[in-house]
Amino acid sequence: MLFADRIKQLREQKQMPQRQLAAALEIDTATYCKIERGERRAKREQVSTLADLLETDKDQLLNLWLAEQIYSVVKDEENAEKVLDIVHESVIEYKSGFKK
Amino acid sequence: MLFADRIKQLREQKQMPQRQLAAALEIDTATYCKIERGERRAKREQVSTLADLLETDKDQLLNLWLAEQIYSVVKDEENAEKVLDIVHESVIEYKSGFKK
DNA sequence: TTATATTTGCCAAATAATGTCAAGACAAAA
DNA sequence: TTTTGTCTTGACATTATTTGGCAAATATAA
């Protein structure tokens, strides 16, 4: 489950209306609705705010937020798994000090 | 090695000037230069054209092209690997028929 | 019904991406 | 040094994408 589904799940668990979250993010409820349905992307700072309001772990939620962005790149790709492997390799190389 | 580095490597192996590839892609050499340096993103169709000119496998090059896009999302992230794992999971779920 | 919540479509504004031009840097000759 | 060709950079205009709001439509309750 990625970001959009997750914040919806959390919100429903807490029985909060979208309106309340939208207000906290200072956006229209329609916009918030779109974020929850994956039609709009939340901003990074908004993820943090949401984690607070929904009382969930910031890092975990941020990971889902990032995952959703990546997913949108590969979701229709035949070789999605292979591509992810390639990136995984690059991340490891990067961390091992082979910067840039 | 991701897309940008790879096309540069191939071009140098074949000792072709950027000018030649730029012409084939119908873009300015400056633009091509930026693509090769990762400052601009090639279009999907351009990847195919490049694979032809550089005589390399299309799918493989396309994978690198996708990888580069993903990498740009997670490269500065602490939890890059974890995020990739999450996406990997989602991809598997998707393929297993749990559409949408 | 009435009230509240969510969703949708459309629009304008904001933001990001793209490509070109002109100039600069650089190396290898000549 | 001057020339030639290649590559790179920065500023800028153009284009494309994203964003959020509004209003209307559709649910969901009460």
Side-chain angles (χ1 to χ4, degrees):
Chain A
M1 184 189 350
L2 301 188
F3 184 75
D5 289 326
R6 181 61 178 149
I7 60 173
K8 175 166 190 172
Q9 185 189 52
L10 289 166
R11 180 179 64 79
E12 286 175 344
Q13 273 173 19
K14 298 182 76 74
Q15 309 206 57
M16 298 169 78
Q18 292 182 340
R19 170 177 45 74
Q20 195 172 332
L21 295 169
L25 299 178
E26 300 180 277
I27 56 177
D28 192 290
T29 63
T31 302
Y32 178 81
C33 171
K34 286 164 189 166
I35 290 173
E36 205 170 83
R37 314 187 89 256
E39 292 167 21
R40 288 286 188 286
R41 186 166 298 173
K43 291 177 181 168
R44 200 188 178 93
E45 329 88 62
Q46 295 178 326
V47 177
S48 179
T49 305
L50 285 172
D52 285 339
L53 293 167
L54 297 170
E55 299 181 277
T56 192
D57 185 71
K58 272 190 174 52
D59 286 338
Q60 227 172 293
L61 195 59
L62 187 63
N63 285 350
L64 292 179
W65 177 75
L66 289 165
E68 190 164 281
Q69 294 179 57
I70 291 173
Y71 189 72
S72 74
V73 176
V74 293
K75 67 174 183 299
D76 295 324
E77 297 297 333
E78 190 86 20
N79 299 318
E81 293 189 70
K82 173 157 289 191
V83 172
L84 292 173
D85 284 347
I86 294 171
V87 180
H88 188 253
E89 267 309 304
S90 297
V91 168
I92 288 174
E93 275 179 31
Y94 182 79
K95 289 177 81 172
S96 74
F98 181 57
K99 310 292 187 187
K100 204 115 211 241
Chain B
M1 183 190 347
L2 301 188
F3 183 75
D5 288 326
R6 181 62 179 149
I7 60 173
K8 175 166 190 175
Q9 185 189 52
L10 289 167
R11 181 179 63 79
E12 287 175 344
Q13 273 173 18
K14 299 182 76 73
Q15 306 205 54
M16 298 169 78
Q18 293 181 340
R19 172 176 43 75
Q20 195 173 331
L21 295 168
L25 299 178
E26 300 180 276
I27 55 178
D28 194 291
T29 63
T31 302
Y32 179 83
C33 172
K34 286 164 188 165
I35 289 174
E36 205 169 82
R37 315 188 88 256
E39 293 166 20
R40 287 287 186 284
R41 186 166 298 172
K43 291 176 182 168
R44 200 188 178 94
E45 329 88 63
Q46 295 178 327
V47 177
S48 178
T49 305
L50 285 172
D52 284 339
L53 293 167
L54 297 170
E55 297 181 279
T56 192
D57 185 71
K58 271 189 175 51
D59 286 338
Q60 227 172 294
L61 195 59
L62 187 64
N63 284 351
L64 291 179
W65 177 75
L66 290 165
E68 189 164 281
Q69 293 179 58
I70 292 173
Y71 188 72
S72 74
V73 176
V74 293
K75 67 174 183 300
D76 296 322
E77 297 297 333
E78 191 85 19
N79 298 319
E81 293 189 70
K82 173 157 289 192
V83 172
L84 292 174
D85 284 347
I86 295 171
V87 180
H88 188 252
E89 266 310 303
S90 296
V91 169
I92 288 173
E93 274 178 32
Y94 182 80
K95 290 178 79 171
S96 74
F98 181 56
K99 311 291 186 186
K100 193 99 213 274

